[in-house]
């Protein structure tokens, strides 16, 4: 029998990890309520409502089942202890990865990561003009990664398997390495495409007023969210490589973060909680001079009116705001329709351009 000194304090590690996971689930619950409001209750939510809504609901249900299993484990390890109590019962309890609750949590983690990566790939598909040929590359990598991850989960459920053994180590390294690769490359491709389209839109604008593009705001949001999950995966990989006993507990916390990241993108974009947006609106409003302009960001409107100078006649100066059908469709698909600048001028005319990114330019 191994001495107590050779057994890691899994009871303390699991207790702390359970508290952290509970806090993360609480944050996810608040964000999930924001997602439901943005997707289902906002009157201007249109495109892909059911796609984003269904995936968010499924992810939140999985996160809730996962935290429920964690709390049940804490009860069985510390409260529902068989009498007489066995020495180091809680530590030995959490070291058993073949129990039904442990197996359930491992399956949920693998499924949540799989769904989270599919959502990122779906956004890649939307941003890159629904080009399914390009989308097949990350899809093949992700399905391969998921197959390796599920194989490792099945092997881990066998009695007597060492989590840091050679077989599981190889599968874990492959799975987490591919996970990082998919997230970093796909997120970078999305950000690069948004930067390119935002630049083309800025060049196509004939207005002297400089507006921070919706694409730039969405690009920063995607990079921040992708970096958050990638950092968590790197931490998991580092813990596993160092044979840390906190690896499995960190997986529990990573499950909640994997659920939180895609929902956080929806809420941040839908509510305008993105970097630089208030400053962009303020700069644009301050630059207007001769006409009433209002900006719509969800249900809030920020009007700005200045009285035009009277030179003895009626002079009306129109500022041009450039948008494209492509940008409008992209905004609807990613839930960014609230970021459109609108004016009160009822006239709407079209200007043709040879650039496919700037065709059907609308001028208000």
């Amino acid at each position: 029998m191994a001495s107590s000194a050779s057994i890691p304090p899994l009871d303390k590690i699991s207790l702390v990890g359970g508290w952290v996971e509970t806090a993360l689930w609480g944050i996810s619950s608040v964000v999930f309520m924001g997602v439901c409001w943005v997707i289902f209750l906002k009157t201007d939510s249109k495109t892909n409502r059911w796609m984003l809504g269904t995936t968010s609901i499924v992810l939140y249900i999985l996160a809730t089942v996962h935290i429920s299993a964690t709390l049940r484990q804490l009860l069985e390890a510390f409260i529902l202890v068989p009498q007489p109590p066995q020495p180091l019962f809680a530590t030995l309890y959490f070291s058993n990865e073949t129990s039904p609750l442990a197996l359930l949590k491992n399956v949920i983690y693998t499924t949540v990561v799989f769904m989270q990566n599919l959502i990122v790939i779906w956004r890649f598909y939307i941003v890159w003009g629904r080009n399914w040929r390009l989308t097949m590359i990350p899809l093949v990598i992700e399905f391969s990664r998921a197959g390796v991850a599920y194989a490792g989960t099945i092997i881990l459920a066998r009695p007597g398997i060492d989590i840091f053994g050679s077989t599981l180590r190889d599968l874990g390294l492959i799975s987490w390495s591919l996970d990082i690769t998919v997230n970093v490359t796909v997120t970078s491709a999305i950000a690069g495409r948004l930067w390119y389209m935002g630049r083309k839109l800025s060049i196509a604008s004939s207005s002297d007023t400089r507006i921070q593009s919706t694409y730039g705001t969405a690009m920063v949001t995607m990079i921040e969210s992708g970096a958050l999950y990638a950092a968590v995966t790197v931490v998991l990989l580092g813990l596993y490589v160092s044979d840390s006993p906190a690896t499995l507990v960190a997986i529990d916390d990573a499950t909640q973060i994997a659920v939180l990241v895609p929902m956080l993108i929806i809420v941040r974009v839908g509510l305008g909680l993105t970097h630089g947006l208030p400053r962009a609106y303020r700069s644009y409003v301050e630059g207007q001079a001769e006409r009433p302009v209002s900006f719509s960001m969800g249900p809030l409107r920020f009007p700005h009116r200045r009285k035009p100078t009277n030179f003895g006649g009626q002079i009306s100066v129109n500022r041009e705001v450039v948008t494209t059908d492509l940008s409008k469709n992209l905004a609807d698909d990613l839930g960014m329709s609230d970021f459109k600048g609108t004016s009160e001028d009822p006239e709407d005319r079209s200007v043709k351009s040879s650039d496919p990114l700037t065709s059907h330019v609308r001028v208000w």
Side-chain angles (χ1 to χ4, degrees):
M1 182 177 178
S3 62
S4 59
S6 63
I7 302 177
L10 293 177
D11 52 348
K12 298 178 181 178
I13 296 174
S14 300
L15 184 60
V16 174
W19 278 101
V20 174
E21 184 183 357
T22 303
L24 291 173
W25 178 81
I27 297 174
S28 296
S29 300
V30 176
V31 174
F32 178 70
M33 289 188 289
V35 169
C36 292
W37 186 82
V38 169
I39 294 180
F40 298 112
L41 299 181
K42 289 187 68 175
T43 57
D44 53 357
S45 297
K46 299 177 181 179
T47 312
N48 296 316
R49 169 183 295 180
W50 297 111
M51 165 65 185
L52 296 174
T54 301
T55 54
S56 298
I57 291 173
V58 172
L59 285 174
Y60 181 72
I61 291 175
L62 291 176
T64 303
V65 174
H66 193 280
I67 188 60
S68 301
T70 298
L71 296 178
R72 180 63 187 182
Q73 283 184 320
L74 293 175
L75 285 175
E76 292 182 354
F78 296 102
I79 305 300
L80 306 177
V81 180
Q83 299 298 326
Q86 182 182 1
L88 300 176
F89 175 80
T91 298
L92 296 176
Y93 176 87
F94 286 113
S95 65
N96 181 19
E97 288 298 317
T98 61
S99 65
L101 290 176
L103 177 60
L104 174 63
K105 291 170 62 176
N106 291 333
V107 171
I108 289 177
Y109 167 73
T110 306
T111 304
V112 164
V113 172
F114 179 57
M115 290 187 61
Q116 194 266 349
N117 288 342
L118 288 182
I119 293 174
V120 175
I121 295 174
W122 173 77
R123 290 193 173 103
F124 171 85
Y125 169 75
I126 294 295
V127 170
W128 281 86
R130 292 177 169 82
N131 189 330
W132 63 269
R133 292 181 178 85
L134 287 178
T135 310
M136 288 300 298
I137 299 175
L139 272 180
V140 170
I141 298 176
E142 174 54 28
F143 275 99
S144 301
R145 186 213 63 80
V148 172
Y150 278 112
T153 302
I154 295 174
I155 294 176
L156 185 60
R158 296 178 181 177
I161 294 295
D162 183 11
I163 184 177
F164 300 109
S166 59
T167 301
L168 278 179
R169 179 178 291 273
D170 293 339
L171 294 177
L173 292 177
I174 293 174
S175 176
W176 277 319
S177 298
L178 290 178
D179 193 9
I180 297 173
T181 301
V182 169
N183 270 275
V184 171
T185 55
V186 174
T187 301
S188 300
I190 293 174
R193 180 65 172 174
L194 291 175
W195 175 84
Y196 172 76
M197 293 196 303
R199 181 176 176 82
K200 297 292 288 186
L201 184 62
S202 177
I203 294 176
S205 175
S206 60
S207 173
D208 294 333
T209 305
R210 301 185 62 85
I211 309 172
Q212 180 172 343
S213 174
T214 299
Y215 296 108
T217 303
M219 179 185 68
V220 174
T221 303
M222 290 297 303
I223 292 176
E224 289 177 342
S225 302
L228 173 62
Y229 180 72
V232 172
T233 307
V234 170
V235 171
L236 286 176
L237 183 59
L239 290 174
Y240 188 67
V241 170
S242 61
D243 296 343
S244 173
T247 302
L248 293 176
V249 177
I251 288 177
D252 296 342
D253 299 336
T255 303
Q256 300 296 329
I257 296 178
V259 171
L260 180 62
V261 166
M263 295 194 302
L264 195 60
I265 294 176
I266 298 174
V267 172
R268 291 184 63 191
V269 174
L271 299 181
L273 304 176
T274 49
H275 287 309
L277 196 64
R279 180 180 300 176
Y281 279 153
R282 185 167 58 252
S283 299
Y284 183 81
V285 169
E286 291 173 355
Q288 302 304 299
E290 290 85 12
R291 59 171 300 175
V293 177
S294 64
F295 292 91
S296 174
M297 188 176 63
L300 301 179
R301 299 183 66 84
F302 301 91
H304 178 77
R305 301 174 180 270
R306 290 188 181 179
K307 185 177 180 180
T309 304
N310 190 351
F311 295 97
Q314 186 68 27
I315 299 178
S316 176
V317 181
N318 293 331
R319 299 271 183 178
E320 294 181 344
V321 180
V322 180
T323 183
T324 66
D325 287 347
L326 178 59
S327 66
K328 182 179 183 300
N329 294 334
L330 178 63
D332 289 338
D333 289 333
L334 298 183
M336 296 186 295
S337 57
D338 303 324
F339 286 52
K340 300 190 291 291
T342 61
S343 71
E344 298 176 357
D345 192 345
E347 296 182 357
D348 187 357
R349 64 184 184 273
S350 298
V351 179
K352 295 184 179 180
S353 172
S354 59
D355 194 328
L357 282 176
T358 60
S359 60
H360 307 293
V361 177
R362 301 177 60 191
V363 182
W364 288 286

